[in-house]
Amino acid sequence: MRSRNYLLIAGILLCMFPAFGQFPTPGGGGGNTSVSAPTLRAPSNIQQTSFQMNWNAVGGAQYYFVYVSESATFNTHVAGFNGRGTSGTNQTVTGLSSGKTYYYRVKAGMNDALSSFSSTGNATTSSGPPSVPTASAATNVKRNSFRANWGSAARATGYEIDVSRNSSFTNLVVSSGSTSNTYYNVTGLSESTTYYYRVRGKNNSGESGSSSAITVRTTAGLTGNNSVIMNDQETYYFSDPVSGGYWELSSGGFLGTQTTSQVIVTWYEYGTHTLRYKVGSTV
């Protein structure tokens, strides 16, 4: 008689508190209005084949049922997620395909009463790490800055750049500089110095490998009545402009647009040449 009473009590407890035993079979339809529908929160930890769905706790709820589908109409369900029971307020959904959008919703349960469905949320699994960007030549090269450039990489949502004083990237001046653009303005450099840069694509699945390194040399500055030996295709900047001066090029090219702070040289002869900013009357 005593063992029969124990069995009866245990059965009553399981019916009253299903979160501690087997979850009841989820029902369809509109649900019981005495139990509030859960409010969804944004999905998290989105990976290539999984994501975590989240919702706020419902007062009095003992368990929740989650539903996940590839269709917003829920005419089919992801295996194992057609009313999957849980006592928590999140659920990791696994076994998914990469780069695909999934829809989900939740019901709350208390004893044998179920709420209506929550609103429908969605999450798109990651397509995998980005492809490697292709870095291109620097532009707007000056005495202490330049603009690093690269092409857009498939699946990249952002980029990271390293800038170094050596080609082995052990002497970094920029480490993992972050941008969503396909360029990065590198500043605070030394004049007449060679730098190297490389780029990686990134998204929520990770990073790509690094691009090939690009070499760039900052230009030299000129102060009044000083000169510099310049190579083909280099642009030089006057570091301390003085009014009343002018640019003078020894040979091998002709001067284009010029101000007291910059000159653009067009070459007609390869080699090295002397450029001088002279202060005083034009000779």
Side-chain angles (χ1 to χ4, degrees):
M1 181 67 179
R2 182 175 298 176
S3 61
R4 183 178 299 175
N5 289 339
Y6 287 152
L7 289 173
L8 178 60
I9 293 170
I12 292 171
L13 287 174
L14 283 175
C15 289
M16 290 178 63
F17 303 105
F20 297 95
Q22 295 296 316
F23 295 106
T25 302
N32 191 319
T33 56
S34 66
V35 184
S36 298
T39 301
L40 297 181
R41 292 184 284 118
S44 58
N45 196 25
I46 299 173
Q47 305 294 325
Q48 282 185 261
T49 59
S50 65
F51 71 91
Q52 180 175 296
M53 50 186 295
N54 304 291
W55 59 90
N56 293 325
V58 173
Q62 298 162 311
Y63 53 90
Y64 302 90
F65 289 123
V66 299
Y67 304 78
V68 184
S69 177
E70 295 181 12
S71 167
T73 61
F74 291 88
N75 55 322
T76 60
H77 290 84
V78 173
F81 293 93
N82 183 12
R84 185 187 186 109
T86 180
S87 58
T89 56
N90 59 68
Q91 174 66 54
T92 298
V93 184
T94 58
L96 308 179
S97 299
S98 64
K100 203 163 194 177
T101 298
Y102 291 87
Y103 302 88
Y104 60 90
R105 57 188 180 181
V106 188
K107 281 186 175 184
M110 182 171 57
N111 297 329
D112 61 349
L114 289 176
S115 73
S116 58
F117 284 113
S118 68
S119 60
T120 298
N122 67 80
T124 301
T125 53
S126 169
S127 298
S131 58
V132 178
T134 300
S136 53
T139 55
N140 201 24
V141 181
K142 298 183 179 181
R143 289 186 302 115
N144 54 14
S145 65
F146 64 84
R147 172 172 286 189
N149 302 289
W150 57 91
S152 59
R155 300 181 299 282
T157 57
Y159 301 91
E160 290 188 346
I161 180 172
D162 298 328
V163 182
S164 177
R165 291 187 179 89
N166 58 28
S167 58
S168 58
F169 288 87
T170 58
N171 189 2
L172 295 171
V173 294
V174 176
S175 177
S176 298
S178 184
T179 179
S180 59
N181 300 315
T182 54
Y183 63 87
Y184 188 90
N185 293 315
V186 185
T187 60
L189 307 177
S190 300
E191 66 179 48
S192 298
T193 302
T194 299
Y195 293 92
Y196 304 84
Y197 67 86
R198 62 187 182 186
V199 189
R200 296 176 297 280
K202 63 179 182 178
N203 62 20
N204 57 16
S205 287
E207 293 184 356
S208 71
S210 295
S211 68
S212 299
I214 297 293
T215 304
V216 56
R217 184 174 177 81
T218 53
T219 60
L222 289 175
T223 56
N225 286 327
N226 286 342
S227 62
V228 64
I229 301 298
M230 61 187 303
N231 297 314
D232 302 319
Q233 307 306 315
E234 290 186 279
T235 301
Y236 283 82
Y237 294 80
F238 186 43
S239 61
D240 186 17
V242 177
S243 61
Y246 64 97
W247 296 98
E248 182 181 79
L249 181 65
S250 60
S251 64
F254 61 89
L255 302 177
T257 303
Q258 53 188 298
T259 68
T260 55
S261 61
Q262 174 183 324
V263 64
I264 298 174
V265 180
T266 301
W267 302 106
Y268 58 78
E269 180 181 292
Y270 288 105
T272 58
H273 317 274
T274 300
L275 177 70
R276 178 188 295 271
Y277 185 80
K278 301 183 71 174
V279 178
S281 300
T282 303
V283 177

